[in-house]
Each structure stands twice: as C-alpha cells, then as structure tokens.
Amino acid sequence: MGKTQDVVTREYTINLGKALHGVNFKQRAPKAVTAVKKFASKVMKTTDVRVDVKLNKHIWSKGIRNVPRRIRVQISRKRNDDEDATEDLYSFVTVADVPNGFRGVGTKVVDDV
C-alpha cells in the first residue's frame, strides 16, 4: 500500500482570490467550487471529490459575486464502499473554522478518532 492509498485527513488554506482573479461576477461562486475541487484532487490524488453542503453554503454566503478570498478546508481521503465504483478512494471536503485569522496556519494533519 503506497502513501497515496492511505486514509488521511488534513487541513489546508485555499486562496480563492488567486483562483478567481479576472473572473466575471456571475461565474465567481461556481468557479470557486470548481477551484476547491481541483485543489482537493491535486493534493489528495483522487479524481472523485465530494463537497460538503456546509462548504458550499460558506462559499455562496456572500452571494455569487463576493466570494471569500481565503477559505480553510478539511480534506479527508476515505475508502469508497460502493461496489461498482471505479476508484477505491474518494476525497471529502468540508469547511474548517479559523478562530484567529489565517496568519501562521499552515497545512495540518488531523487525527481521526
């Protein structure tokens, strides 16, 4: 079993302002969701990425135009229990709370209990 086959949970900060620079107003929130999925696919090395409802609500909280510049997410690589699935792992992305702002918080491995 390789390192990409392990079940793991990590917290990341995604800079959505960089991903949405120059994007039309009516496409900003949908592109932000796509950018989060692309980021999770890249760091967890899975093509099946599922976004939590709370994360979607957080991205859309200020409307379609005014997407938050940064967002703290918790990405979990989990086993796929579906028999007819093409991949045995999928990534689940949910929003993580940031009580003191984004300064100094890097990537953090979360212990699943």
Side-chain angles (χ1 to χ4, degrees), residues 14-30:
I14 302 175
N15 188 353
L16 291 177
K18 195 186 296 185
L20 299 177
H21 180 72
V23 175
N24 294 340
F25 276 155
K26 292 297 180 183
Q27 298 172 355
R28 285 177 80 86

Side-chain angles (χ1 to χ4, degrees), residues 14 33-52 55 73-78 80 87 89-94:
I14 302 175
V33 175
T34 308
V36 168
K37 283 185 172 186
K38 185 177 172 186
F39 178 83
S41 175
K42 185 177 86 170
V43 296
M44 289 294 178
K45 296 179 175 61
T46 59
T47 55
D48 187 7
V49 178
R50 301 171 191 180
V51 176
D52 190 25
L55 175 62
V73 294
Q74 182 174 343
I75 308 176
S76 304
R77 191 189 303 136
K78 298 183 178 181
N80 208 346
E87 283 195 45
L89 295 172
Y90 69 94
S91 297
F92 185 71
V93 188
T94 184

Side-chain angles (χ1 to χ4, degrees), residues 53-71:
V53 177
K54 290 179 186 174
L55 175 62
N56 197 35
K57 292 261 188 200
H58 184 75
I59 291 174
W60 284 81
S61 63
K62 299 195 299 184
I64 197 168
R65 301 186 338 172
N66 302 315
V67 177
R69 286 206 171 189
R70 283 191 176 87
I71 192 166

